[in-house]
Amino acid sequence: MIQKYSFGTPFETEAVVAPIPVSSGLPALGQIDTDHGFSFRLALSPQDIVYGLGEANRGIDKRGHLYISCCADDPIHTEDKHSLYGAHNFLLIDSGPDAEAVGLFFDYPGEMTFDIGYSHREQLCVCCKTADLYLYLITGKSASDIVHQFRQIIGPSYIPPKFAFGYGQSRWGYAAPEDFRTVAQQHRENHIPLDMIYMDIDYMEDFKDFTVNTKRFPDFASFVEEMKQQNIRLIPIVDAGVKIEPGYAVYEEGLAKGYFCKKEDGSEFEACVWPGMTHFPDFLRPEVREWFGNQYKCLLDAGIEGFWNDMNEPAIFFSAEGEADLRQWMADILAGKTSFHSFALSDRSKSLPNSPEDYQRFYHVVDSKRIRHDRVHNLYGCCMTRAASEAFARLCPDKRILMFSRASYIGMHRYGGIWMGDNMSWWSHLLLNLKMLPSLNMCGFLYIGADLGGFGCDTTEDLLLRWLALGVFTPLMRNHSAAGTREQEFYQFDHAEDFRHIISVRYRLIPYLYSEYLKAAKNDAMMFRPLAFAYPQDRIARKIEDQLLLGDEVMIAPVYTQNADGRPVYLPEEMLLVKFLPDGTLLQTPVPAGYLFIDVALNEVAFFIRRGRKIPVVDAAECVEALDMRTLCYIGDPKATYELIDE
Ligand code: GLC
């Protein structure tokens, strides 16, 4: 059952698409205070597990930390951080197999705090500055039931083209055709499967959206075609900020039409991002979305079939106002007007990018009314991606276009996927990647994945191989890294054969992964579930945070520690251990319920098939298109049935 409560004057985010009448009175659950902003308090019992929050830090069970929904461009995802790139205000409280489960969705596009047993171990407190929001209270018989009900009201998940289930190589720094040709050639010559090469900002002319550097790419369409002849799609990045440059068509047109966000005095807000000073399109306006969406046409016309939308929190390096404030603050120190202690200077200078003050300096126009950006901050990236998705539906209605975004809000799952932003080459981020998968699925995001190998700092060969072995299962499987870090294409390391094997396993599993993806999308279900969802009576399974169920058939348990030659695994029931060995053979070993240590070498992919289930596999191929469905066979219980769907 779903009840919708309205407080104050909520902003219509369009996160929920199902018409739900507003209930009168207050929800029967929790304590609500609207006298000082908004707060919702609920006592938590020791056995309650609190799931949710989509793209967020820490565990699958969110208890014990403070989370702030505020789409943030912060690349240092240490344990103490409260915000990542997405804002997904959905919680699911699972009080055990015999109790009703509860879902809560706080539809509020400004900053919102989730204190989940942080201030008081046994209390949940959700609060925000103004009491203008919708609260959806969902009750149901199980955790899966709550997710299903929630997903039904927020609409169907985005489905990418099938090639997007292949492997993608990316690096910030590929700039010239030769860079892309090298990647393509190395993969093809070494028979490492590859379907996509990503184009980071250097393909553009001076980082201007919807331009291509014509000195480097005099005939971009032919280059796109050259890659396509090798079954490789080029996937360019598009950033939110539009460079301020007289003569640049997107800037000139956006300015003439008044499509950029303005300051209180009516002039356009300016901020520095990759291209230098930029304006931000007001994606909250339908006509601006239509205009910006139409800009993708020039790249679609050149043969491009996929994009990634970036810097759309929006990321701000600094504004002129922010810089002036900082200078003034420093001048005051020099003049002896302000005292400071040593940390203050470094904290103050670090506060220049993505500052709350900047987010208060510009406005959107919604239904002819101005609204300050910070009040709707979390919708910005979502609306940018919506602009793209709506344009694809207009411009190429018969084709699926690959689209994923960095920032997001609930509802954006209808328009594209997400990647988990600028992670680091840290083992802890491999585990964080795993933990975010079910949380994101709860919120409808199915096309998801992290920068495999880690984006920031230097990776190691073993970290990359282990991370790829998790990436084998994530719909988005992309190796991406930052300029200036150790290069991490497979050919930078000694053992090409290990990479070939791990990535080939992905291709062997594509029929299964694609089928499970489509089922999750069509049935408003999760592709990745915590063990507790399937084994609610099993107290050990309820607490497992480093193993997941994939579909109804598979349990994954990736290795996420360095120098380990395997890992302990908990099996809630007897299962079949499956190992794809580097010599191309398969090891299948029935293992009993309970604890087990599994050996997993760096060049192996291991997982489990549940009792009475089977999964399809095919022979590996070097691209999705070359997969030969005539080689399809099943592994697992031969008596089991499996519904394979392909579209
Ligand atoms: C941002 C993106 C990253 C990209 C970089 C340069 O940091 O998150 O993926 O490589 O910008 O465009």
Side-chain angles (χ1 to χ4, degrees):
M1 187 171 73
I2 304 186
Q3 283 158 302
K4 174 179 180 180
Y5 298 92
S6 175
F7 300 92
T9 315
F11 186 88
E12 299 298 335
T13 65
E14 299 178 56
V16 170
V17 288
I20 300 175
V22 173
S23 301
S24 56
L26 288 174
L29 192 86
Q31 261 187 328
I32 289 178
D33 180 357
T34 51
D35 289 344
H36 314 281
F38 171 88
S39 72
F40 172 90
R41 274 169 220 280
L42 183 69
L44 295 173
S45 315
Q47 77 276 9
D48 289 346
I49 297 178
V50 183
Y51 295 110
L53 296 185
E55 187 181 21
N57 215 345
R58 300 251 179 157
I60 297 177
D61 183 349
K62 307 311 284 187
R63 280 185 82 155
H65 195 48
L66 184 81
Y67 306 86
I68 301 176
S69 269
C70 177
C71 294
D73 164 37
D74 178 349
I76 319 284
H77 314 159
T78 43
E79 262 188 58
D80 57 326
K81 291 295 166 71
H82 305 293
S83 309
L84 297 179
Y85 306 86
H88 307 138
N89 302 345
F90 171 69
L91 294 179
L92 194 179
I93 302 164
D94 176 347
S95 306
D98 306 318
E100 205 172 47
V102 171
L104 296 161
F105 172 46
F106 300 87
D107 190 7
Y108 180 80
E111 187 174 301
M112 183 159 235
T113 301
F114 294 82
D115 180 336
I116 309 182
Y118 170 78
S119 301
H120 306 285
R121 223 181 330 150
E122 271 148 23
Q123 193 185 74
L124 163 75
C125 178
V126 181
C127 60
C128 54
K129 273 202 198 111
T130 60
D132 297 308
L133 71 155
Y134 292 118
L135 166 58
Y136 294 83
L137 172 64
I138 311 173
T139 45
K141 57 183 188 307
S142 64
S144 302
D145 179 28
I146 299 291
V147 171
H148 183 63
Q149 292 189 56
F150 179 53
R151 295 273 300 281
Q152 284 196 311
I153 64 167
I154 59 174
S157 295
Y158 161 79
I159 300 178
K162 199 170 177 185
F163 73 77
F165 283 78
Y167 177 60
Q169 178 59 51
S170 184
R171 179 166 172 89
W172 174 12
Y174 299 156
E178 282 325 299
D179 300 329
F180 297 93
R181 286 190 181 116
T182 304
V183 174
Q185 192 187 344
Q186 284 282 0
H187 281 79
R188 291 295 176 246
E189 277 177 6
N190 286 282
H191 305 291
I192 312 263
L194 183 74
D195 268 272
M196 290 153 287
I197 307 180
Y198 287 81
M199 306 189 93
D200 208 318
I201 47 175
D202 300 288
Y203 78 88
M204 301 180 198
E205 187 187 278
D206 299 329
F207 310 138
K208 285 181 288 193
D209 279 342
F210 311 113
T211 67
V212 172
N213 184 317
T214 48
K215 281 201 199 80
R216 295 198 193 118
F217 299 95
D219 185 353
F220 186 59
S222 319
F223 185 63
V224 174
E225 184 52 30
E226 177 189 322
M227 287 291 139
K228 244 187 239 180
Q229 288 300 319
Q230 304 173 59
N231 278 308
I232 293 169
R233 261 90 173 181
L234 292 172
I235 311 293
I237 195 169
V238 176
D239 282 351
V242 170
K243 184 173 174 64
I244 301 176
E245 186 184 277
Y248 163 41
V250 183
Y251 160 75
E252 294 282 10
E253 200 178 309
L255 190 69
K257 294 191 163 149
Y259 283 170
F260 298 127
C261 292
K262 297 194 171 71
K263 295 192 287 196
E264 197 164 14
D265 67 6
S267 64
E268 273 76 15
F269 175 69
E270 295 181 15
C272 182
V273 206
W274 300 125
M277 291 317 259
T278 61
H279 290 323
F280 294 121
D282 185 355
F283 294 121
L284 273 67
R285 289 162 62 187
E287 66 277 22
V288 179
R289 284 202 293 274
E290 186 176 344
W291 166 75
F292 194 84
N294 285 341
Q295 309 299 321
Y296 288 78
K297 188 170 184 302
C298 62
L299 294 166
L300 291 168
D301 287 348
I304 293 296
E305 295 174 61
F307 302 87
W308 43 313
N309 278 351
D310 192 21
M311 308 301 275
N312 51 3
E313 294 71 29
I316 292 179
F317 296 166
F318 64 87
S319 66
E321 294 88 343
E323 193 236 20
D325 287 353
L326 180 62
R327 273 179 197 280
Q328 187 57 53
W329 184 78
M330 291 168 86
D332 287 350
I333 290 171
L334 290 176
K337 288 193 213 154
T338 304
S339 61
F340 76 104
H341 61 82
S342 52
F343 288 138
L345 183 58
S346 87
D347 286 352
R348 184 66 178 80
S349 55
K350 274 189 226 137
S351 72
L352 199 55
N354 310 315
S355 77
E357 292 76 23
D358 277 337
Y359 292 138
Q360 292 171 15
R361 289 191 224 274
F362 60 99
Y363 291 78
H364 300 273
V365 179
V366 177
D367 296 333
S368 318
K369 282 196 220 83
R370 272 197 341 175
I371 180 155
R372 207 172 68 189
H373 174 78
D374 59 315
R375 308 225 159 104
V376 287
H377 172 73
N378 291 333
L379 277 180
Y380 192 75
C382 169
C383 289
M384 176 188 183
T385 298
R386 179 175 177 180
S389 159
E390 288 172 345
F392 303 153
R394 281 194 308 276
L395 300 169
C396 30
D398 301 324
K399 205 170 171 182
R400 286 184 188 150
I401 301 292
L402 172 59
M403 163 51 58
F404 57 93
S405 169
R406 197 169 72 174
S408 58
Y409 185 75
I410 294 284
M412 205 208 77
H413 70 292
R414 302 192 293 267
Y415 309 117
I418 62 158
W419 89 100
M420 296 165 187
D422 296 346
N423 58 10
M424 292 279 176
S425 298
W426 294 342
W427 291 86
S428 58
H429 279 182
L430 196 173
L431 184 57
L432 184 60
N433 175 175
L434 179 84
K435 291 180 179 183
M436 282 199 254
L437 297 170
S439 311
L440 280 164
N441 277 189
M442 290 173 201
C443 300
F445 293 95
L446 296 181
Y447 192 75
I448 51 178
D451 288 350
L452 302 172
F455 174 76
C457 66
D458 295 336
T459 201
T460 56
E461 185 174 10
D462 57 348
L463 174 60
L464 179 56
L465 283 167
R466 291 298 195 198
W467 215 328
L468 286 169
L470 165 61
V472 159
F473 303 101
T474 61
L476 168 64
M477 186 190 190
R478 179 176 79 144
N479 173 345
H480 180 50
S481 56
T485 60
R486 180 180 187 180
E487 291 172 306
Q488 61 186 46
E489 297 84 5
F490 80 87
Y491 47 86
Q492 311 294 346
F493 303 98
D494 294 336
H495 301 283
E497 68 284 2
D498 292 347
F499 289 90
R500 180 183 314 122
H501 175 60
I502 305 266
I503 299 168
S504 298
V505 173
R506 159 60 164 231
Y507 281 71
R508 299 203 62 189
L509 291 171
I510 284 178
Y512 176 62
L513 296 170
Y514 190 55
S515 177
E516 287 309 306
Y517 187 100
L518 292 177
K519 283 182 203 166
K522 292 182 177 173
N523 303 330
D524 294 321
M526 293 161 71
M527 190 171 167
F528 296 99
R529 286 175 302 157
L531 268 51
F533 278 50
Y535 305 99
Q537 307 281 354
D538 183 327
R539 11 184 314 263
I540 302 173
R542 284 178 69 77
K543 292 287 173 186
I544 298 280
E545 293 246 337
D546 60 356
Q547 302 170 204
L548 293 176
L549 295 170
L550 196 187
D552 282 331
E553 293 76 21
V554 165
M555 181 174 81
I556 60 170
V559 176
Y560 56 88
T561 47
Q562 190 158 31
N563 301 322
D565 43 21
R567 55 161 288 175
V569 178
Y570 176 71
L571 280 86
E573 60 176 336
E574 179 197 324
M575 293 189 190
L576 184 71
L577 168 63
V578 178
K579 261 200 218 178
F580 283 83
L581 300 174
D583 64 4
T585 60
L586 260 181
L587 193 80
Q588 303 184 49
T589 323
V591 280
Y595 282 105
L596 174 81
F597 185 91
I598 54 165
D599 297 313
V600 191
L602 269 182
N603 56 4
E604 292 174 355
V605 180
F607 59 89
F608 297 86
I609 298 184
R610 292 171 70 190
R611 201 169 50 181
R613 315 274 179 174
K614 65 177 183 182
I615 64 161
V617 288
V618 277
D619 286 356
E622 287 181 36
C623 62
V624 171
E625 211 161 299
L627 288 171
D628 183 353
M629 293 302 269
R630 288 169 307 183
T631 63
L632 189 118
C633 59
Y634 285 88
I635 49 176
D637 184 345
K639 293 195 293 295
T641 52
Y642 178 78
E643 190 203 351
L644 178 70
I645 56 170
D646 195 36
E647 60 184 77

